[in-house]
């Protein structure tokens, strides 16, 4: 076992070129932890927001190893770990926020933040799933309780969280209406299983509520975008309905919550890692998601692949937004 490894770190906040290749010590797993040899990670908005310094409380100590998602092979297990053995193929969300993440040859994390990887995906591709699939699952099956024939509106349906949200909502039996700003993005959402698509840049909420939700409003509005989308969600949901979102930092008029007796659910899926509490929840949900993948209900769409040493290029593409699904980084 080598004592040193390659990691891609940031010593300060900055633009995508702030990443530096560094030789560092291989971390040792403590009690209840596992060490994983990293095959791949993927890019999420939280990763570049941390890099830019927008959420400093989420940043690992400098020099910081970023990226929350990981897929790889268990290399060593700490005391009291009986769920995994060396050689197991796993995927998870062990760090990248609050503690060092996956942009390295090895990552250590609480055993509860991992699950056995889906058997029907290449191992590297499983790294596209943890943050986005956990977020979509908690939004639709925890904060909301989507049921058969519910009308569900999915904002940002071609994005990381959104494209998994469309698939999970369909699996739950919902009638899915998906939004997209371009014809290509709307076609992508339809291919994922959306029953209808809407160009939200040219159509107001009242129009698509009338056409796709019988004029009454959607049972659930799924919003992984936030900002003005959150305000529009209050217009699109029916009385007594539910809005679920990942973003609540913008200033919005929430009077509709009272006027229409709405429920608002906010998901921060990395919170167990940040707090070091309820981390087993992550692995339990990832096991459920792996089962959905192996049953053919969910499949991550990987738009672009980069090597770890091209992490700056991956971040530039992520911030530009000219992609659908996920951006994968493979440790070559």
């Amino acid at each position: 076992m080598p004592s040193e490894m390659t990691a891609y770190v940031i010593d300060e906040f900055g633009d995508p070129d702030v990443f530096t290749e560094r030789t560092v010590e291989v971390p040792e797993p403590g009690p209840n932890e596992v060490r994983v040899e990293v095959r791949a990670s993927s890019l999420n908005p939280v990763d570049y927001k941390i890099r830019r310094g927008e959420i400093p409380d989420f940043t690992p100590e400098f020099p910081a190893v970023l990226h929350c998602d990981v897929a790889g092979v268990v290399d060593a297990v700490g005391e009291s770990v009986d769920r995994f053995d060396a050689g197991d193929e796993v995927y998870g969300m062990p760090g990248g926020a609050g503690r060092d993440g996956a942009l390295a040859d090895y990552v250590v994390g609480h055993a509860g933040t991992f699950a056995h990887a889906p058997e029907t995906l290449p191992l590297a591709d499983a790294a596209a799933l943890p943050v986005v699939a956990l977020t979509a699952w908690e939004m639709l099956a925890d904060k909301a309780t989507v049921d058969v024939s519910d009308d569900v509106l999915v904002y940002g349906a071609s994005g990381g969280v959104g494209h998994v949200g469309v698939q999970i909502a369909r699996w739950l039996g919902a009638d899915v209406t998906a939004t997209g700003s371009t014809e290509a993005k709307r076609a992508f959402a339809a291919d994922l299983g959306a029953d209808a698509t809407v160009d939200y840049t040219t159509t107001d909420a009242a129009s698509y509520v009338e056409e796709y939700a019988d004029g009454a409003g959607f049972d659930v509005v799924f919003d992984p975008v936030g900002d003005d989308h959150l305000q529009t969600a209050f217009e699109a949901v029916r009385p007594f309905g539910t809005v679920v979102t990942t973003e609540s930092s913008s200033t919005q008029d929430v009077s509709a919550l009272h006027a229409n007796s709405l429920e608002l659910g906010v998901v921060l899926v990395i919170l167990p890692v940040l707090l070091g509490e309820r981390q087993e929840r992550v692995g339990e949900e990832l096991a459920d998601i792996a089962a959905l993948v192996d049953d053919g209900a969910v499949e991550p769409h990987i738009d672009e692949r980069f090597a770890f040493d091209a992490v700056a290029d991956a971040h530039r593409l992520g911030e530009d937004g000219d992609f659908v699904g996920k951006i994968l980084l493979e440790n070559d």
Side-chain angles (χ1 to χ4, degrees):
M1 178 67 208
S3 60
E4 295 182 328
M5 67 176 184
T6 299
Y8 295 85
V9 307
I10 64 169
D11 294 300
E12 59 184 358
F13 300 124
D15 64 24
D17 292 317
V18 76
F19 286 101
T20 301
E21 182 179 328
R22 189 81 47 83
T23 299
V24 300
E25 290 187 4
V26 174
E28 292 294 329
N32 301 308
E33 294 183 335
V34 298
R35 183 171 66 208
V36 172
E37 185 177 2
V38 176
R39 291 284 178 83
S41 183
S42 71
L43 180 65
N44 297 288
V46 67
D47 301 315
Y48 56 74
K49 290 177 181 178
I50 291 173
R51 189 211 76 228
R52 295 190 305 217
E54 294 176 6
I55 39 178
D57 290 346
F58 291 11
T59 308
E61 290 185 11
F62 292 129
V65 182
L66 305 188
H67 281 232
C68 300
D69 288 334
V70 67
V73 179
V74 174
D75 167 75
V77 300
E79 294 179 14
S80 304
V81 175
D82 54 15
R83 295 177 55 229
F84 302 108
D85 296 307
D88 285 352
E89 294 187 346
V90 297
Y91 75 137
M93 192 184 67
R99 59 181 296 167
D100 280 340
L103 282 182
D105 291 336
Y106 296 89
V107 65
V108 164
H110 192 283
T113 61
F114 292 94
H116 291 97
E119 296 178 359
T120 55
L121 282 182
L123 179 57
D125 291 10
L129 282 167
V131 167
V132 296
L134 286 165
T135 301
W137 179 256
E138 291 191 9
M139 290 170 75
L140 292 167
D142 180 19
K143 298 297 182 179
T145 52
V146 174
D147 206 347
V148 174
S149 298
D150 277 355
D151 290 317
V152 175
L153 177 65
V154 177
Y155 289 137
S158 65
V161 176
H163 92 288
V164 178
V166 169
Q167 296 175 74
I168 292 177
R170 286 291 295 156
W171 178 78
L172 290 167
D175 294 321
V176 179
T177 299
T179 72
S181 60
T182 68
E183 185 176 348
K185 289 181 177 180
R186 294 191 295 275
F188 174 65
D191 289 343
L192 293 170
D195 299 283
T197 62
V198 170
D199 182 352
Y200 69 89
T201 67
T202 61
T203 311
D204 61 23
S207 297
Y208 53 77
V209 165
E210 183 64 34
E211 185 167 1
Y212 300 116
D214 298 324
F218 293 87
D219 297 294
V220 175
V221 178
F222 177 99
D223 169 34
V225 183
D227 298 328
D228 291 340
H229 283 78
L230 183 56
Q231 196 68 60
T232 307
F234 298 146
E235 302 172 23
V237 69
R238 65 164 173 80
F240 309 105
T242 302
V243 174
V244 286
T245 187
T246 59
E247 299 286 346
S248 61
S249 57
S250 60
T251 300
Q252 304 294 338
D253 178 2
V254 298
S255 59
L257 294 177
H258 180 247
N260 289 316
S261 194
L262 304 178
E263 293 186 50
L264 174 64
V266 183
V267 170
L268 177 61
V269 77
I270 61 174
L271 187 61
V273 177
L274 291 169
L275 296 180
E277 299 175 9
R278 301 183 66 186
Q279 295 183 90
E280 292 80 3
R281 169 192 176 103
V282 174
E284 291 166 359
E285 292 181 352
L286 284 173
D288 290 337
I289 291 162
L292 292 183
V293 173
D294 289 337
D295 285 343
V298 171
E299 182 179 1
H301 176 85
I302 298 167
D303 197 312
E304 296 282 351
R305 297 171 185 266
F306 294 86
F308 272 17
D309 61 8
V311 60
D313 293 331
H315 274 239
R316 273 188 283 269
L317 177 58
E319 290 171 303
D320 179 62
D322 190 20
F323 68 98
V324 295
K326 288 301 300 284
I327 296 169
L328 194 74
L329 292 101
E330 297 182 86
N331 187 16
D332 295 336

